[in-house]
Amino acid sequence: MPDLVLENIIEFSNFKAILTLRQVCRDFRNFIDDLNNSKLPDSKITSIHVFIEKGIRFDFGKIDGYFDTISYSKNPKNLRRFNGKNKTLLGNNSDILKVAFRDLELILRFQKVQLSWLQFNFFPSEFNSINFSMKNQKIKTEVLEISATSQPDFLSILQLTDPENLRFFSGNQSIIEMDQLAETEQWKMAKSVTCGNFLKLNLKDIAHFSQSTIFHQSVSMEDHY
Protein backbone atom coordinates (compact mmCIF):
# COMPACT_ATOMS: atom_id res chain seq x y z
CA MET A 1 0.00 0.00 0.00
CA PRO A 2 1.45 3.43 -0.95
CA ASP A 3 2.76 5.60 1.89
CA LEU A 4 0.33 8.40 1.03
CA VAL A 5 -2.63 6.07 1.50
CA LEU A 6 -1.26 4.89 4.84
CA GLU A 7 -0.77 8.50 5.97
CA ASN A 8 -4.37 9.31 5.04
CA ILE A 9 -5.63 6.33 7.05
CA ILE A 10 -3.66 7.48 10.11
CA GLU A 11 -4.74 11.09 9.69
CA PHE A 12 -8.40 10.13 10.10
CA SER A 13 -7.84 7.61 12.93
CA ASN A 14 -7.77 8.27 16.66
CA PHE A 15 -4.96 7.06 18.91
CA LYS A 16 -6.89 3.98 20.08
CA ALA A 17 -7.50 2.89 16.49
CA ILE A 18 -3.82 3.31 15.67
CA LEU A 19 -2.84 1.01 18.55
CA THR A 20 -5.01 -1.61 16.86
CA LEU A 21 -3.61 -0.83 13.41
CA ARG A 22 -0.08 -1.50 14.68
CA GLN A 23 -1.15 -5.13 15.17
CA VAL A 24 -2.23 -5.58 11.53
CA CYS A 25 1.24 -6.38 10.19
CA ARG A 26 4.89 -5.63 10.85
CA ASP A 27 5.23 -3.25 7.88
CA PHE A 28 2.28 -1.14 9.06
CA ARG A 29 3.69 -1.09 12.62
CA ASN A 30 7.10 0.04 11.37
CA PHE A 31 5.50 2.71 9.19
CA ILE A 32 3.57 4.12 12.16
CA ASP A 33 6.61 4.03 14.45
CA ASP A 34 8.78 5.83 11.87
CA LEU A 35 6.20 8.47 10.99
CA ASN A 36 7.02 12.05 11.95
CA ASN A 37 4.99 13.26 14.94
CA SER A 38 3.74 16.25 12.95
CA LYS A 39 1.82 13.87 10.67
CA LEU A 40 -0.05 12.26 13.54
CA PRO A 41 -3.53 13.59 14.46
CA ASP A 42 -4.06 15.49 17.71
CA SER A 43 -5.27 13.16 20.47
CA LYS A 44 -7.05 16.08 22.20
CA ILE A 45 -6.09 14.54 25.55
CA THR A 46 -6.10 16.95 28.50
CA SER A 47 -5.28 14.54 31.34
CA ILE A 48 -3.97 11.03 31.93
CA HIS A 49 -4.87 8.96 35.00
CA VAL A 50 -2.90 5.75 35.61
CA PHE A 51 -4.09 3.05 38.01
CA ILE A 52 -1.79 0.15 38.89
CA GLU A 53 -3.09 -2.77 40.92
CA LYS A 54 -3.52 -6.32 39.57
CA GLY A 55 -3.36 -4.86 36.10
CA ILE A 56 -2.86 -1.41 34.58
CA ARG A 57 -5.52 1.05 33.46
CA PHE A 58 -5.10 4.33 31.60
CA ASP A 59 -7.97 6.85 31.66
CA PHE A 60 -7.52 9.63 29.11
CA GLY A 61 -9.49 12.82 29.77
CA LYS A 62 -10.44 14.67 26.59
CA ILE A 63 -11.34 18.22 25.62
CA ASP A 64 -15.00 17.26 25.18
CA GLY A 65 -15.18 16.04 28.79
CA TYR A 66 -15.34 12.34 27.93
CA PHE A 67 -12.80 9.67 28.90
CA ASP A 68 -11.15 6.98 26.81
CA THR A 69 -9.92 3.92 28.72
CA ILE A 70 -7.30 1.31 27.87
CA SER A 71 -6.61 -1.50 30.34
CA TYR A 72 -4.13 -4.36 30.53
CA SER A 73 -4.48 -7.64 32.41
CA LYS A 74 -2.56 -10.90 32.43
CA ASN A 75 -3.53 -14.49 33.14
CA PRO A 76 -1.35 -17.62 32.84
CA LYS A 77 -2.14 -17.87 29.11
CA ASN A 78 -2.08 -14.34 27.75
CA LEU A 79 -1.51 -10.64 28.26
CA ARG A 80 -4.67 -8.84 27.15
CA ARG A 81 -5.28 -5.25 26.13
CA PHE A 82 -8.86 -3.97 26.39
CA ASN A 83 -9.43 -0.98 24.15
CA GLY A 84 -13.08 -0.07 24.57
CA LYS A 85 -15.00 -3.03 23.18
CA ASN A 86 -11.93 -4.49 21.48
CA LYS A 87 -9.68 -7.09 23.12
CA THR A 88 -6.17 -7.81 21.82
CA LEU A 89 -4.12 -10.83 22.90
CA LEU A 90 -0.47 -9.82 23.16
CA GLY A 91 1.21 -13.12 24.03
CA ASN A 92 2.10 -14.86 27.26
CA ASN A 93 5.74 -13.78 27.16
CA SER A 94 4.96 -10.06 27.04
CA ASP A 95 5.87 -7.88 30.05
CA ILE A 96 2.71 -6.02 31.08
CA LEU A 97 4.59 -2.89 32.23
CA LYS A 98 6.70 -2.69 29.08
CA VAL A 99 3.68 -3.17 26.82
CA ALA A 100 1.53 -0.62 28.65
CA PHE A 101 4.18 2.09 28.75
CA ARG A 102 5.28 1.44 25.19
CA ASP A 103 1.67 2.12 24.20
CA LEU A 104 1.62 5.24 26.40
CA GLU A 105 4.78 6.52 24.74
CA LEU A 106 3.17 6.05 21.35
CA ILE A 107 -0.05 7.79 22.47
CA LEU A 108 1.95 10.76 23.76
CA ARG A 109 3.28 11.29 20.22
CA PHE A 110 -0.28 12.44 19.40
CA GLN A 111 -0.18 15.03 22.18
CA LYS A 112 0.08 18.53 20.71
CA VAL A 113 -0.26 20.54 23.94
CA GLN A 114 0.81 20.20 27.56
CA LEU A 115 -1.39 18.02 29.78
CA SER A 116 -3.29 19.78 32.54
CA TRP A 117 -3.04 16.79 34.89
CA LEU A 118 -1.03 13.57 35.11
CA GLN A 119 -2.04 11.19 37.90
CA PHE A 120 -0.47 7.92 39.06
CA ASN A 121 -2.18 5.73 41.65
CA PHE A 122 -0.31 2.74 43.06
CA PHE A 123 -2.47 0.29 44.95
CA PRO A 124 -1.15 -2.87 46.65
CA SER A 125 -0.35 -4.94 43.58
CA GLU A 126 1.35 -8.01 42.22
CA PHE A 127 4.26 -5.90 41.00
CA ASN A 128 7.18 -6.23 43.42
CA SER A 129 9.08 -3.45 41.73
CA ILE A 130 7.99 -0.89 39.18
CA ASN A 131 10.46 0.76 36.86
CA PHE A 132 9.00 2.81 34.05
CA SER A 133 10.97 3.70 30.98
CA MET A 134 10.13 5.79 27.94
CA LYS A 135 13.05 6.26 25.59
CA ASN A 136 12.18 9.20 23.42
CA GLN A 137 10.31 11.83 25.41
CA LYS A 138 9.31 13.36 28.72
CA ILE A 139 5.67 13.89 29.63
CA LYS A 140 4.76 17.57 29.70
CA THR A 141 2.15 18.26 32.37
CA GLU A 142 1.08 21.21 34.47
CA VAL A 143 0.19 19.10 37.53
CA LEU A 144 1.72 15.79 38.58
CA GLU A 145 -0.19 13.80 41.20
CA ILE A 146 1.32 10.67 42.74
CA SER A 147 -0.06 8.22 45.30
CA ALA A 148 2.53 5.54 45.98
CA THR A 149 3.96 3.42 48.78
CA SER A 150 7.72 3.81 48.27
CA GLN A 151 10.34 6.33 47.23
CA PRO A 152 11.44 4.19 44.21
CA ASP A 153 7.88 4.33 42.84
CA PHE A 154 7.88 8.14 43.17
CA LEU A 155 11.27 8.31 41.46
CA SER A 156 10.22 6.06 38.59
CA ILE A 157 7.38 8.47 37.78
CA LEU A 158 9.27 11.72 38.30
CA GLN A 159 11.91 10.71 35.78
CA LEU A 160 9.16 10.39 33.13
CA THR A 161 8.08 14.03 33.45
CA ASP A 162 9.39 17.25 31.97
CA PRO A 163 10.53 19.39 34.93
CA GLU A 164 9.53 22.71 33.34
CA ASN A 165 6.46 24.46 34.82
CA LEU A 166 5.60 21.49 37.02
CA ARG A 167 3.29 21.61 40.04
CA PHE A 168 3.51 18.61 42.35
CA PHE A 169 0.57 17.16 44.27
CA SER A 170 0.25 13.98 46.31
CA GLY A 171 -2.59 12.40 48.21
CA ASN A 172 -0.36 9.64 49.52
CA GLN A 173 -1.04 7.77 52.76
CA SER A 174 2.27 5.93 53.30
CA ILE A 175 5.33 7.55 54.85
CA ILE A 176 7.90 8.29 52.13
CA GLU A 177 11.56 9.18 52.56
CA MET A 178 12.64 12.33 50.70
CA ASP A 179 16.43 12.13 50.38
CA GLN A 180 16.49 10.99 46.72
CA LEU A 181 13.29 12.76 45.66
CA ALA A 182 14.61 16.14 46.82
CA GLU A 183 17.67 15.72 44.58
CA THR A 184 15.74 15.20 41.34
CA GLU A 185 15.62 17.87 38.66
CA GLN A 186 11.81 17.71 38.70
CA TRP A 187 11.57 18.45 42.44
CA LYS A 188 14.13 21.25 42.30
CA MET A 189 12.44 22.96 39.34
CA ALA A 190 8.80 22.47 40.40
CA LYS A 191 6.79 25.64 41.02
CA SER A 192 4.66 24.37 43.89
CA VAL A 193 3.89 21.36 46.06
CA THR A 194 0.77 20.18 47.87
CA CYS A 195 1.09 17.18 50.17
CA GLY A 196 0.31 15.73 53.59
CA ASN A 197 2.51 14.62 56.45
CA PHE A 198 3.55 11.40 54.73
CA LEU A 199 6.67 12.97 53.19
CA LYS A 200 9.62 13.21 55.56
CA LEU A 201 10.42 16.81 54.70
CA ASN A 202 13.11 19.19 55.85
CA LEU A 203 12.38 22.88 55.37
CA LYS A 204 15.38 23.14 53.06
CA ASP A 205 13.63 20.67 50.70
CA ILE A 206 10.71 23.05 50.10
CA ALA A 207 12.35 26.49 50.48
CA HIS A 208 12.63 26.95 46.70
CA PHE A 209 8.89 26.56 45.97
CA SER A 210 7.01 29.73 45.11
CA GLN A 211 3.92 28.17 46.68
CA SER A 212 3.46 25.18 48.98
CA THR A 213 0.60 23.64 50.95
CA ILE A 214 1.84 21.04 53.40
CA PHE A 215 -0.08 19.42 56.21
CA HIS A 216 2.36 18.54 58.96
CA GLN A 217 1.72 17.49 62.54
CA SER A 218 4.87 19.13 63.90
CA VAL A 219 8.10 20.85 62.88
CA SER A 220 11.20 20.28 65.03
CA MET A 221 13.81 22.95 65.75
CA GLU A 222 16.28 20.90 63.70
CA ASP A 223 14.12 21.47 60.61
CA HIS A 224 14.91 25.19 60.76
CA TYR A 225 18.60 24.66 60.11
Side-chain angles (χ1 to χ4, degrees):
M1 189 178 296
D3 287 357
L4 182 59
V5 175
L6 294 176
E7 287 184 13
N8 286 335
I9 292 173
I10 291 172
E11 181 182 356
F12 292 101
S13 300
N14 61 38
F15 68 90
K16 293 175 69 176
I18 291 177
L19 286 180
T20 302
L21 288 173
R22 289 184 76 255
Q23 306 298 320
V24 172
C25 68
R26 180 175 297 177
D27 287 344
F28 206 166
R29 181 173 68 246
N30 291 338
F31 178 82
I32 292 171
D33 292 348
D34 293 339
L35 195 63
N36 190 290
N37 288 0
S38 63
K39 294 186 177 181
L40 295 172
D42 187 354
S43 65
K44 297 184 176 12
I45 293 171
T46 59
S47 64
I48 299 176
H49 308 268
V50 182
F51 302 88
I52 300 174
E53 193 171 5
K54 291 182 179 180
I56 299 174
R57 189 178 90 235
F58 297 141
D59 288 345
F60 300 95
K62 302 174 66 178
I63 291 175
D64 59 11
Y66 290 95
F67 280 83
D68 278 324
T69 296
I70 300 177
S71 60
Y72 303 79
S73 63
K74 192 169 186 178
N75 61 27
K77 293 184 178 180
N78 267 299
L79 169 62
R80 297 167 293 178
R81 180 204 291 132
F82 293 90
N83 183 348
K85 296 181 179 180
N86 300 318
K87 178 176 73 174
T88 305
L89 299 180
L90 301 171
N92 187 43
N93 294 325
S94 299
D95 184 298
I96 187 171
L97 284 171
K98 289 182 179 178
V99 169
F101 281 85
R102 180 194 64 202
D103 286 352
L104 180 60
E105 186 171 15
L106 174 62
I107 291 167
L108 287 167
R109 292 180 58 200
F110 295 75
Q111 189 65 25
K112 306 302 183 183
V113 297
Q114 178 176 267
L115 295 172
S116 62
W117 201 283
L118 174 64
Q119 178 187 33
F120 280 82
N121 291 281
F122 293 82
F123 300 98
S125 72
E126 62 187 35
F127 303 109
N128 294 324
S129 61
I130 297 175
N131 184 22
F132 304 118
S133 176
M134 295 198 304
K135 297 178 181 179
N136 300 319
Q137 64 190 111
K138 298 289 187 182
I139 305 176
K140 293 181 179 294
T141 182
E142 181 180 350
V143 176
L144 172 64
E145 178 180 353
I146 304 175
S147 293
T149 57
S150 70
Q151 183 169 216
D153 288 345
F154 269 81
L155 290 170
S156 68
I157 296 169
L158 278 179
Q159 57 92 19
L160 296 178
T161 59
D162 189 314
E164 187 174 357
N165 298 321
L166 186 66
R167 291 192 290 133
F168 181 76
F169 175 86
S170 184
N172 209 61
Q173 299 299 319
S174 301
I175 301 298
I176 302 294
E177 297 286 346
M178 275 295 301
D179 54 326
Q180 296 179 60
L181 282 173
E183 294 302 315
T184 62
E185 182 183 20
Q186 286 82 357
W187 183 268
K188 291 178 179 179
M189 293 183 62
K191 288 186 171 183
S192 67
V193 61
T194 301
C195 63
N197 62 357
F198 51 85
L199 292 180
K200 291 187 176 180
L201 291 168
N202 291 318
L203 292 184
K204 65 179 182 180
D205 295 331
I206 59 173
H208 65 286
F209 290 117
S210 59
Q211 180 179 351
S212 59
T213 304
I214 299 173
F215 302 94
H216 220 287
Q217 292 180 347
S218 62
V219 178
S220 69
M221 288 299 295
E222 292 179 355
D223 289 337
H224 291 276
Y225 300 98

